[in-house]
Amino acid sequence: MSSAVARSIRVTFRPGWGAPEGKGLLAREERIRTLLRVLVSYPEVRHILPDRISLDAAAEPRVLDTVARFLQRQEWLVQSVEVR
């Protein structure tokens, strides 16, 4: 097992969607709920906060890139994505 720190993806939202007003990734809007179902289907996803997705430290860079690109395609919601 790796001793590395868990990886994360920080999401910056379009106006009106971010936390706290729009609750970000934890909003009850149907499109966001569908988005969450896709995100939690990745076994590397540890937890999701309003503006961040935490992934297992052992997650391959390819998985991080795939999740980040998926989020960037949500142009109605996401302004930018940063992998940490």
Side-chain angles (χ1 to χ4, degrees):
M1 178 171 241
S2 172
S3 62
V5 179
R7 306 288 304 265
S8 68
I9 298 174
R10 182 172 290 283
V11 181
T12 303
F13 298 94
R14 298 228 176 256
W17 287 104
E21 70 278 354
K23 296 191 176 51
L25 293 171
L26 301 181
R28 294 190 168 262
E29 207 270 351
E30 189 61 34
R31 293 179 292 177
I32 294 177
R33 292 175 60 163
T34 300
L35 177 67
L36 285 179
R37 283 192 291 274
V38 171
L39 292 171
V40 299
S41 72
Y42 286 91
E44 296 87 353
V45 171
R46 293 177 49 179
H47 63 268
I48 298 175
L49 298 173
D51 66 341
R52 195 168 341 137
I53 301 162
S54 176
L55 292 98
D56 189 64
E60 295 182 19
R62 184 178 59 147
V63 172
L64 289 161
D65 185 52
T66 299
V67 173
R69 282 187 288 131
F70 172 72
L71 288 166
Q72 288 170 335
R73 288 194 307 264
Q74 311 309 311
E75 295 177 355
W76 57 273
L77 175 66
V78 175
Q79 185 171 333
S80 67
V81 175
E82 178 186 354
V83 177
R84 296 179 169 199

mmCIF file of all heavy atoms in Angstrom, residues 43-84:
data_model
loop_
_atom_site.group_PDB
_atom_site.id
_atom_site.type_symbol
_atom_site.label_atom_id
_atom_site.label_comp_id
_atom_site.label_asym_id
_atom_site.label_seq_id
_atom_site.Cartn_x
_atom_site.Cartn_y
_atom_site.Cartn_z
ATOM 1 N N PRO A 43 -14.212 3.058 -8.371
ATOM 2 C CA PRO A 43 -13.821 2.530 -7.056
ATOM 3 C C PRO A 43 -12.761 3.384 -6.355
ATOM 4 O O PRO A 43 -12.631 3.332 -5.141
ATOM 5 C CB PRO A 43 -13.281 1.127 -7.356
ATOM 6 C CG PRO A 43 -13.145 1.023 -8.825
ATOM 7 C CD PRO A 43 -13.911 2.136 -9.454
ATOM 8 N N GLU A 44 -12.029 4.187 -7.107
ATOM 9 C CA GLU A 44 -10.980 5.036 -6.518
ATOM 10 C C GLU A 44 -11.548 6.253 -5.783
ATOM 11 O O GLU A 44 -10.835 6.893 -5.013
ATOM 12 C CB GLU A 44 -10.021 5.522 -7.609
ATOM 13 C CG GLU A 44 -9.242 4.425 -8.279
ATOM 14 C CD GLU A 44 -9.984 3.805 -9.471
ATOM 15 O OE1 GLU A 44 -11.152 4.126 -9.717
ATOM 16 O OE2 GLU A 44 -9.359 2.977 -10.151
ATOM 17 N N VAL A 45 -12.813 6.603 -6.012
ATOM 18 C CA VAL A 45 -13.413 7.768 -5.359
ATOM 19 C C VAL A 45 -13.674 7.431 -3.899
ATOM 20 O O VAL A 45 -14.364 6.468 -3.577
ATOM 21 C CB VAL A 45 -14.721 8.204 -6.069
ATOM 22 C CG1 VAL A 45 -15.440 9.270 -5.255
ATOM 23 C CG2 VAL A 45 -14.404 8.729 -7.459
ATOM 24 N N ARG A 46 -13.088 8.236 -3.011
ATOM 25 C CA ARG A 46 -13.244 8.011 -1.567
ATOM 26 C C ARG A 46 -14.429 8.773 -1.018
ATOM 27 O O ARG A 46 -15.240 8.221 -0.288
ATOM 28 C CB ARG A 46 -11.979 8.445 -0.848
ATOM 29 C CG ARG A 46 -10.794 7.549 -1.192
ATOM 30 C CD ARG A 46 -9.534 8.013 -0.553
ATOM 31 N NE ARG A 46 -9.776 8.265 0.879
ATOM 32 C CZ ARG A 46 -8.845 8.672 1.707
ATOM 33 N NH1 ARG A 46 -7.629 8.886 1.277
ATOM 34 N NH2 ARG A 46 -9.103 8.881 2.963
ATOM 35 N N HIS A 47 -14.500 10.068 -1.306
ATOM 36 C CA HIS A 47 -15.653 10.855 -0.873
ATOM 37 C C HIS A 47 -15.780 12.105 -1.747
ATOM 38 O O HIS A 47 -14.842 12.489 -2.439
ATOM 39 C CB HIS A 47 -15.590 11.216 0.613
ATOM 40 C CG HIS A 47 -14.433 12.077 0.990
ATOM 41 N ND1 HIS A 47 -13.240 11.566 1.405
ATOM 42 C CD2 HIS A 47 -14.282 13.424 0.999
ATOM 43 C CE1 HIS A 47 -12.402 12.547 1.677
ATOM 44 N NE2 HIS A 47 -13.007 13.689 1.427
ATOM 45 N N ILE A 48 -16.963 12.700 -1.668
ATOM 46 C CA ILE A 48 -17.267 13.882 -2.475
ATOM 47 C C ILE A 48 -17.775 14.975 -1.550
ATOM 48 O O ILE A 48 -18.674 14.749 -0.739
ATOM 49 C CB ILE A 48 -18.316 13.554 -3.558
ATOM 50 C CG1 ILE A 48 -17.742 12.496 -4.506
ATOM 51 C CG2 ILE A 48 -18.723 14.816 -4.317
ATOM 52 C CD1 ILE A 48 -18.727 11.992 -5.549
ATOM 53 N N LEU A 49 -17.177 16.139 -1.681
ATOM 54 C CA LEU A 49 -17.589 17.338 -0.960
ATOM 55 C C LEU A 49 -18.190 18.314 -1.972
ATOM 56 O O LEU A 49 -18.090 18.086 -3.177
ATOM 57 C CB LEU A 49 -16.382 17.955 -0.256
ATOM 58 C CG LEU A 49 -15.713 17.067 0.806
ATOM 59 C CD1 LEU A 49 -14.434 17.718 1.300
ATOM 60 C CD2 LEU A 49 -16.668 16.805 1.945
ATOM 61 N N PRO A 50 -18.787 19.403 -1.518
ATOM 62 C CA PRO A 50 -19.423 20.318 -2.472
ATOM 63 C C PRO A 50 -18.510 20.797 -3.607
ATOM 64 O O PRO A 50 -18.969 21.002 -4.731
ATOM 65 C CB PRO A 50 -19.867 21.496 -1.610
ATOM 66 C CG PRO A 50 -20.090 20.896 -0.266
ATOM 67 C CD PRO A 50 -19.025 19.821 -0.140
ATOM 68 N N ASP A 51 -17.209 20.969 -3.326
ATOM 69 C CA ASP A 51 -16.307 21.507 -4.346
ATOM 70 C C ASP A 51 -15.099 20.615 -4.616
ATOM 71 O O ASP A 51 -14.141 21.031 -5.250
ATOM 72 C CB ASP A 51 -15.820 22.895 -3.947
ATOM 73 C CG ASP A 51 -14.950 22.871 -2.702
ATOM 74 O OD1 ASP A 51 -15.007 21.876 -1.941
ATOM 75 O OD2 ASP A 51 -14.218 23.840 -2.487
ATOM 76 N N ARG A 52 -15.128 19.369 -4.137
ATOM 77 C CA ARG A 52 -13.943 18.524 -4.230
ATOM 78 C C ARG A 52 -14.318 17.050 -4.282
ATOM 79 O O ARG A 52 -15.279 16.630 -3.645
ATOM 80 C CB ARG A 52 -13.086 18.761 -2.996
ATOM 81 C CG ARG A 52 -11.713 18.274 -3.066
ATOM 82 C CD ARG A 52 -10.899 18.816 -1.906
ATOM 83 N NE ARG A 52 -11.559 19.990 -1.317
ATOM 84 C CZ ARG A 52 -11.679 20.213 -0.024
ATOM 85 N NH1 ARG A 52 -11.165 19.397 0.847
ATOM 86 N NH2 ARG A 52 -12.291 21.276 0.423
ATOM 87 N N ILE A 53 -13.512 16.306 -5.021
ATOM 88 C CA ILE A 53 -13.643 14.860 -5.079
ATOM 89 C C ILE A 53 -12.324 14.285 -4.597
ATOM 90 O O ILE A 53 -11.266 14.610 -5.133
ATOM 91 C CB ILE A 53 -13.934 14.386 -6.516
ATOM 92 C CG1 ILE A 53 -15.212 15.030 -7.023
ATOM 93 C CG2 ILE A 53 -14.032 12.866 -6.582
ATOM 94 C CD1 ILE A 53 -15.358 14.974 -8.514
ATOM 95 N N SER A 54 -12.378 13.460 -3.576
ATOM 96 C CA SER A 54 -11.175 12.836 -3.027
ATOM 97 C C SER A 54 -11.056 11.424 -3.594
ATOM 98 O O SER A 54 -12.014 10.655 -3.560
ATOM 99 C CB SER A 54 -11.265 12.785 -1.501
ATOM 100 O OG SER A 54 -10.151 12.109 -0.972
ATOM 101 N N LEU A 55 -9.866 11.116 -4.105
ATOM 102 C CA LEU A 55 -9.606 9.791 -4.658
ATOM 103 C C LEU A 55 -8.520 9.103 -3.855
ATOM 104 O O LEU A 55 -7.692 9.748 -3.219
ATOM 105 C CB LEU A 55 -9.176 9.903 -6.126
ATOM 106 C CG LEU A 55 -10.286 10.367 -7.064
ATOM 107 C CD1 LEU A 55 -10.160 11.838 -7.330
ATOM 108 C CD2 LEU A 55 -10.257 9.578 -8.331
ATOM 109 N N ASP A 56 -8.545 7.790 -3.899
ATOM 110 C CA ASP A 56 -7.551 6.978 -3.226
ATOM 111 C C ASP A 56 -6.150 7.384 -3.687
ATOM 112 O O ASP A 56 -5.942 7.699 -4.855
ATOM 113 C CB ASP A 56 -7.825 5.507 -3.546
ATOM 114 C CG ASP A 56 -6.980 4.589 -2.719
ATOM 115 O OD1 ASP A 56 -7.138 4.574 -1.488
ATOM 116 O OD2 ASP A 56 -6.151 3.883 -3.324
ATOM 117 N N ALA A 57 -5.183 7.326 -2.777
ATOM 118 C CA ALA A 57 -3.806 7.702 -3.105
ATOM 119 C C ALA A 57 -3.212 6.821 -4.195
ATOM 120 O O ALA A 57 -2.335 7.249 -4.937
ATOM 121 C CB ALA A 57 -2.938 7.641 -1.858
ATOM 122 N N ALA A 58 -3.705 5.599 -4.300
ATOM 123 C CA ALA A 58 -3.180 4.662 -5.301
ATOM 124 C C ALA A 58 -3.848 4.827 -6.667
ATOM 125 O O ALA A 58 -3.524 4.093 -7.600
ATOM 126 C CB ALA A 58 -3.369 3.233 -4.812
ATOM 127 N N ALA A 59 -4.752 5.784 -6.799
ATOM 128 C CA ALA A 59 -5.437 5.999 -8.083
ATOM 129 C C ALA A 59 -4.427 6.341 -9.171
ATOM 130 O O ALA A 59 -3.545 7.175 -8.967
ATOM 131 C CB ALA A 59 -6.460 7.114 -7.959
ATOM 132 N N GLU A 60 -4.556 5.668 -10.291
ATOM 133 C CA GLU A 60 -3.651 5.914 -11.414
ATOM 134 C C GLU A 60 -3.896 7.302 -12.002
ATOM 135 O O GLU A 60 -5.026 7.787 -12.006
ATOM 136 C CB GLU A 60 -3.870 4.867 -12.494
ATOM 137 C CG GLU A 60 -3.504 3.468 -12.078
ATOM 138 C CD GLU A 60 -3.685 2.477 -13.207
ATOM 139 O OE1 GLU A 60 -3.744 2.901 -14.378
ATOM 140 O OE2 GLU A 60 -3.781 1.287 -12.905
ATOM 141 N N PRO A 61 -2.851 7.936 -12.511
ATOM 142 C CA PRO A 61 -3.019 9.243 -13.160
ATOM 143 C C PRO A 61 -4.074 9.202 -14.276
ATOM 144 O O PRO A 61 -4.774 10.181 -14.495
ATOM 145 C CB PRO A 61 -1.630 9.547 -13.716
ATOM 146 C CG PRO A 61 -0.692 8.782 -12.846
ATOM 147 C CD PRO A 61 -1.440 7.533 -12.466
ATOM 148 N N ARG A 62 -4.179 8.080 -14.940
ATOM 149 C CA ARG A 62 -5.164 7.935 -16.016
ATOM 150 C C ARG A 62 -6.592 8.104 -15.485
ATOM 151 O O ARG A 62 -7.431 8.728 -16.124
ATOM 152 C CB ARG A 62 -4.995 6.563 -16.660
ATOM 153 C CG ARG A 62 -5.868 6.302 -17.828
ATOM 154 C CD ARG A 62 -5.579 4.950 -18.385
ATOM 155 N NE ARG A 62 -5.804 3.948 -17.331
ATOM 156 C CZ ARG A 62 -6.249 2.736 -17.535
ATOM 157 N NH1 ARG A 62 -6.471 2.321 -18.743
ATOM 158 N NH2 ARG A 62 -6.441 1.916 -16.535
ATOM 159 N N VAL A 63 -6.860 7.577 -14.289
ATOM 160 C CA VAL A 63 -8.189 7.716 -13.679
ATOM 161 C C VAL A 63 -8.450 9.172 -13.326
ATOM 162 O O VAL A 63 -9.533 9.704 -13.587
ATOM 163 C CB VAL A 63 -8.328 6.811 -12.442
ATOM 164 C CG1 VAL A 63 -9.622 7.087 -11.703
ATOM 165 C CG2 VAL A 63 -8.241 5.344 -12.829
ATOM 166 N N LEU A 64 -7.454 9.828 -12.732
ATOM 167 C CA LEU A 64 -7.604 11.245 -12.396
ATOM 168 C C LEU A 64 -7.891 12.070 -13.644
ATOM 169 O O LEU A 64 -8.770 12.942 -13.641
ATOM 170 C CB LEU A 64 -6.346 11.762 -11.706
ATOM 171 C CG LEU A 64 -6.112 11.251 -10.292
ATOM 172 C CD1 LEU A 64 -4.673 11.430 -9.897
ATOM 173 C CD2 LEU A 64 -7.033 11.944 -9.336
ATOM 174 N N ASP A 65 -7.176 11.791 -14.711
ATOM 175 C CA ASP A 65 -7.365 12.511 -15.963
ATOM 176 C C ASP A 65 -8.758 12.253 -16.536
ATOM 177 O O ASP A 65 -9.422 13.178 -17.002
ATOM 178 C CB ASP A 65 -6.287 12.103 -16.967
ATOM 179 C CG ASP A 65 -6.358 12.892 -18.248
ATOM 180 O OD1 ASP A 65 -6.378 14.150 -18.162
ATOM 181 O OD2 ASP A 65 -6.407 12.275 -19.326
ATOM 182 N N THR A 66 -9.215 11.024 -16.480
ATOM 183 C CA THR A 66 -10.537 10.681 -17.003
ATOM 184 C C THR A 66 -11.635 11.402 -16.234
ATOM 185 O O THR A 66 -12.548 11.977 -16.831
ATOM 186 C CB THR A 66 -10.761 9.147 -16.929
ATOM 187 O OG1 THR A 66 -9.781 8.513 -17.734
ATOM 188 C CG2 THR A 66 -12.144 8.771 -17.407
ATOM 189 N N VAL A 67 -11.549 11.393 -14.914
ATOM 190 C CA VAL A 67 -12.560 12.070 -14.093
ATOM 191 C C VAL A 67 -12.518 13.577 -14.337
ATOM 192 O O VAL A 67 -13.562 14.224 -14.486
ATOM 193 C CB VAL A 67 -12.362 11.737 -12.598
ATOM 194 C CG1 VAL A 67 -13.285 12.572 -11.729
ATOM 195 C CG2 VAL A 67 -12.592 10.250 -12.349
ATOM 196 N N ALA A 68 -11.325 14.156 -14.411
ATOM 197 C CA ALA A 68 -11.196 15.595 -14.652
ATOM 198 C C ALA A 68 -11.788 15.977 -16.010
ATOM 199 O O ALA A 68 -12.524 16.967 -16.119
ATOM 200 C CB ALA A 68 -9.730 16.016 -14.571
ATOM 201 N N ARG A 69 -11.494 15.203 -17.054
ATOM 202 C CA ARG A 69 -12.055 15.506 -18.379
ATOM 203 C C ARG A 69 -13.565 15.359 -18.392
ATOM 204 O O ARG A 69 -14.272 16.151 -19.015
ATOM 205 C CB ARG A 69 -11.419 14.626 -19.452
ATOM 206 C CG ARG A 69 -10.034 15.122 -19.841
ATOM 207 C CD ARG A 69 -9.457 14.380 -21.020
ATOM 208 N NE ARG A 69 -9.089 13.024 -20.567
ATOM 209 C CZ ARG A 69 -9.416 11.901 -21.190
ATOM 210 N NH1 ARG A 69 -10.074 11.938 -22.309
ATOM 211 N NH2 ARG A 69 -9.051 10.735 -20.706
ATOM 212 N N PHE A 70 -14.077 14.352 -17.695
ATOM 213 C CA PHE A 70 -15.522 14.166 -17.595
ATOM 214 C C PHE A 70 -16.171 15.396 -16.953
ATOM 215 O O PHE A 70 -17.187 15.896 -17.443
ATOM 216 C CB PHE A 70 -15.839 12.899 -16.789
ATOM 217 C CG PHE A 70 -17.287 12.733 -16.485
ATOM 218 C CD1 PHE A 70 -18.184 12.397 -17.487
ATOM 219 C CD2 PHE A 70 -17.761 12.917 -15.201
ATOM 220 C CE1 PHE A 70 -19.527 12.242 -17.200
ATOM 221 C CE2 PHE A 70 -19.101 12.765 -14.905
ATOM 222 C CZ PHE A 70 -19.994 12.431 -15.915
ATOM 223 N N LEU A 71 -15.577 15.880 -15.875
ATOM 224 C CA LEU A 71 -16.122 17.065 -15.213
ATOM 225 C C LEU A 71 -16.043 18.304 -16.099
ATOM 226 O O LEU A 71 -16.974 19.111 -16.135
ATOM 227 C CB LEU A 71 -15.381 17.312 -13.896
ATOM 228 C CG LEU A 71 -15.685 16.325 -12.784
ATOM 229 C CD1 LEU A 71 -14.666 16.464 -11.669
ATOM 230 C CD2 LEU A 71 -17.091 16.518 -12.266
ATOM 231 N N GLN A 72 -14.941 18.469 -16.825
ATOM 232 C CA GLN A 72 -14.787 19.637 -17.703
ATOM 233 C C GLN A 72 -15.841 19.672 -18.803
ATOM 234 O O GLN A 72 -16.206 20.743 -19.272
ATOM 235 C CB GLN A 72 -13.389 19.662 -18.309
ATOM 236 C CG GLN A 72 -12.323 20.012 -17.300
ATOM 237 C CD GLN A 72 -10.920 19.796 -17.836
ATOM 238 O OE1 GLN A 72 -10.692 18.997 -18.722
ATOM 239 N NE2 GLN A 72 -9.974 20.522 -17.259
ATOM 240 N N ARG A 73 -16.323 18.508 -19.204
ATOM 241 C CA ARG A 73 -17.358 18.471 -20.246
ATOM 242 C C ARG A 73 -18.722 18.919 -19.737
ATOM 243 O O ARG A 73 -19.631 19.166 -20.529
ATOM 244 C CB ARG A 73 -17.458 17.062 -20.834
ATOM 245 C CG ARG A 73 -16.284 16.715 -21.711
ATOM 246 C CD ARG A 73 -16.539 15.474 -22.545
ATOM 247 N NE ARG A 73 -16.972 14.332 -21.783
ATOM 248 C CZ ARG A 73 -16.190 13.349 -21.328
ATOM 249 N NH1 ARG A 73 -14.891 13.404 -21.552
ATOM 250 N NH2 ARG A 73 -16.686 12.346 -20.653
ATOM 251 N N GLN A 74 -18.866 19.069 -18.436
ATOM 252 C CA GLN A 74 -20.131 19.534 -17.844
ATOM 253 C C GLN A 74 -20.140 21.064 -17.859
ATOM 254 O O GLN A 74 -20.166 21.715 -16.820
ATOM 255 C CB GLN A 74 -20.302 18.974 -16.423
ATOM 256 C CG GLN A 74 -20.068 17.491 -16.281
ATOM 257 C CD GLN A 74 -20.835 16.648 -17.264
ATOM 258 O OE1 GLN A 74 -22.041 16.805 -17.456
ATOM 259 N NE2 GLN A 74 -20.140 15.738 -17.927
ATOM 260 N N GLU A 75 -20.133 21.632 -19.049
ATOM 261 C CA GLU A 75 -19.986 23.082 -19.215
ATOM 262 C C GLU A 75 -21.124 23.876 -18.582
ATOM 263 O O GLU A 75 -20.940 25.041 -18.246
ATOM 264 C CB GLU A 75 -19.865 23.422 -20.695
ATOM 265 C CG GLU A 75 -18.603 22.866 -21.305
ATOM 266 C CD GLU A 75 -18.512 23.130 -22.797
ATOM 267 O OE1 GLU A 75 -19.463 23.665 -23.385
ATOM 268 O OE2 GLU A 75 -17.471 22.785 -23.374
ATOM 269 N N TRP A 76 -22.281 23.293 -18.418
ATOM 270 C CA TRP A 76 -23.414 23.960 -17.788
ATOM 271 C C TRP A 76 -23.175 24.186 -16.295
ATOM 272 O O TRP A 76 -23.798 25.039 -15.677
ATOM 273 C CB TRP A 76 -24.693 23.142 -17.985
ATOM 274 C CG TRP A 76 -24.572 21.738 -17.442
ATOM 275 C CD1 TRP A 76 -24.081 20.649 -18.104
ATOM 276 C CD2 TRP A 76 -24.917 21.290 -16.139
ATOM 277 N NE1 TRP A 76 -24.102 19.545 -17.285
ATOM 278 C CE2 TRP A 76 -24.620 19.910 -16.068
ATOM 279 C CE3 TRP A 76 -25.460 21.919 -15.013
ATOM 280 C CZ2 TRP A 76 -24.846 19.143 -14.935
ATOM 281 C CZ3 TRP A 76 -25.685 21.156 -13.877
ATOM 282 C CH2 TRP A 76 -25.380 19.786 -13.851
ATOM 283 N N LEU A 77 -22.227 23.423 -15.712
ATOM 284 C CA LEU A 77 -21.995 23.442 -14.280
ATOM 285 C C LEU A 77 -20.579 23.898 -13.904
ATOM 286 O O LEU A 77 -20.408 24.692 -12.994
ATOM 287 C CB LEU A 77 -22.221 22.014 -13.734
ATOM 288 C CG LEU A 77 -21.916 21.750 -12.265
ATOM 289 C CD1 LEU A 77 -22.897 22.529 -11.382
ATOM 290 C CD2 LEU A 77 -22.003 20.263 -11.972
ATOM 291 N N VAL A 78 -19.593 23.400 -14.605
ATOM 292 C CA VAL A 78 -18.194 23.550 -14.197
ATOM 293 C C VAL A 78 -17.486 24.659 -14.977
ATOM 294 O O VAL A 78 -17.567 24.726 -16.198
ATOM 295 C CB VAL A 78 -17.440 22.212 -14.404
ATOM 296 C CG1 VAL A 78 -15.968 22.373 -14.112
ATOM 297 C CG2 VAL A 78 -18.058 21.124 -13.530
ATOM 298 N N GLN A 79 -16.782 25.504 -14.246
ATOM 299 C CA GLN A 79 -15.959 26.553 -14.853
ATOM 300 C C GLN A 79 -14.533 26.070 -15.037
ATOM 301 O O GLN A 79 -13.929 26.291 -16.071
ATOM 302 C CB GLN A 79 -15.989 27.795 -13.969
ATOM 303 C CG GLN A 79 -15.271 28.973 -14.543
ATOM 304 C CD GLN A 79 -15.530 30.210 -13.729
ATOM 305 O OE1 GLN A 79 -16.565 30.333 -13.080
ATOM 306 N NE2 GLN A 79 -14.585 31.115 -13.719
ATOM 307 N N SER A 80 -13.994 25.383 -14.016
ATOM 308 C CA SER A 80 -12.642 24.838 -14.129
ATOM 309 C C SER A 80 -12.462 23.648 -13.185
ATOM 310 O O SER A 80 -13.211 23.497 -12.221
ATOM 311 C CB SER A 80 -11.580 25.898 -13.852
ATOM 312 O OG SER A 80 -11.626 26.295 -12.496
ATOM 313 N N VAL A 81 -11.445 22.849 -13.497
ATOM 314 C CA VAL A 81 -11.128 21.659 -12.709
ATOM 315 C C VAL A 81 -9.627 21.659 -12.447
ATOM 316 O O VAL A 81 -8.839 21.924 -13.353
ATOM 317 C CB VAL A 81 -11.527 20.369 -13.482
ATOM 318 C CG1 VAL A 81 -11.093 19.137 -12.735
ATOM 319 C CG2 VAL A 81 -13.019 20.351 -13.755
ATOM 320 N N GLU A 82 -9.231 21.369 -11.207
ATOM 321 C CA GLU A 82 -7.818 21.327 -10.847
ATOM 322 C C GLU A 82 -7.525 20.000 -10.151
ATOM 323 O O GLU A 82 -8.132 19.674 -9.139
ATOM 324 C CB GLU A 82 -7.491 22.492 -9.909
ATOM 325 C CG GLU A 82 -6.071 22.489 -9.445
ATOM 326 C CD GLU A 82 -5.819 23.575 -8.394
ATOM 327 O OE1 GLU A 82 -6.717 24.387 -8.132
ATOM 328 O OE2 GLU A 82 -4.712 23.579 -7.840
ATOM 329 N N VAL A 83 -6.580 19.247 -10.703
ATOM 330 C CA VAL A 83 -6.156 17.990 -10.086
ATOM 331 C C VAL A 83 -5.029 18.292 -9.120
ATOM 332 O O VAL A 83 -4.074 18.973 -9.456
ATOM 333 C CB VAL A 83 -5.685 16.981 -11.159
ATOM 334 C CG1 VAL A 83 -5.165 15.705 -10.491
ATOM 335 C CG2 VAL A 83 -6.812 16.672 -12.126
ATOM 336 N N ARG A 84 -5.147 17.789 -7.897
ATOM 337 C CA ARG A 84 -4.132 18.042 -6.854
ATOM 338 C C ARG A 84 -3.506 16.757 -6.412
ATOM 339 O O ARG A 84 -4.086 15.748 -6.317
ATOM 340 C CB ARG A 84 -4.770 18.715 -5.656
ATOM 341 C CG ARG A 84 -5.304 20.087 -5.992
ATOM 342 C CD ARG A 84 -5.921 20.674 -4.783
ATOM 343 N NE ARG A 84 -6.192 22.059 -5.065
ATOM 344 C CZ ARG A 84 -6.391 22.947 -4.134
ATOM 345 N NH1 ARG A 84 -6.356 22.605 -2.877
ATOM 346 N NH2 ARG A 84 -6.634 24.179 -4.432
#
